[in-house]
């Protein structure tokens, strides 16, 4: 930044309330992630598969302190197991 303020004009063209939409943006991001997870699982992805650091999806959610998503993932996994059971019968 130039101490004289030269070139800072863009600051005045911005919506000053952009910070209030954080929850909305987070919800949109979470919905995108959930859709991706559902798609991956529907094509056979394993919830137990570890990443290059040795962490499972459950471990990542635990590290991010997201018990709400852990519950969602557990319910989703239960639905997938139920669907697999129904197909085998």
């Amino acid at each position: 930044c130039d101490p004289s303020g030269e070139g800072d004009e863009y600051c005045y063209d911005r919506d000053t309330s952009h910070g209030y939409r954080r929850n909305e943006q987070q919800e949109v991001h979470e919905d995108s992630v959930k859709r991706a997870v559902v798609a991956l699982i529907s094509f056979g992805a394993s919830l137990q598969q570890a990443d290059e650091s040795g962490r499972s999806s459950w471990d990542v959610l635990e590290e991010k302190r997201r018990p709400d998503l852990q519950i969602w993932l557990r319910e989703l996994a239960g639905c997938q197991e139920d669907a697999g059971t129904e197909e085998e019968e």
Side-chain angles (χ1 to χ4, degrees):
C1 283
D2 186 345
S4 70
E6 186 73 31
D8 290 343
E9 295 83 18
Y10 74 93
C11 294
Y12 303 106
D13 293 334
R14 298 199 57 157
D15 179 9
T16 57
S17 65
H18 68 278
Y20 296 111
R21 296 181 58 212
R22 180 171 294 174
N23 287 338
E24 178 184 323
Q25 292 168 347
Q26 185 174 357
E27 287 177 20
V28 169
H29 178 72
E30 279 186 22
D31 289 343
S32 297
V33 170
K34 285 181 176 182
R35 283 194 305 273
V37 168
V38 169
L40 288 168
I41 290 174
S42 69
F43 283 101
S46 170
L47 293 174
Q48 289 77 30
Q49 182 66 42
D51 65 8
E52 65 275 359
S53 300
R55 301 173 306 168
S56 69
S57 54
W58 191 264
D59 295 332
V60 171
L61 291 175
E62 196 169 87
E63 287 175 11
K64 292 185 175 281
R65 297 185 176 119
R66 293 301 307 264
D68 57 323
L69 291 178
Q70 286 178 315
I71 291 168
W72 174 80
L73 192 60
R74 183 181 300 128
E75 290 172 353
L76 181 64
C79 290
Q80 294 297 321
E81 289 172 8
D82 291 344
T85 304
E86 290 173 10
E87 290 176 6
E88 291 173 4
E89 290 178 3

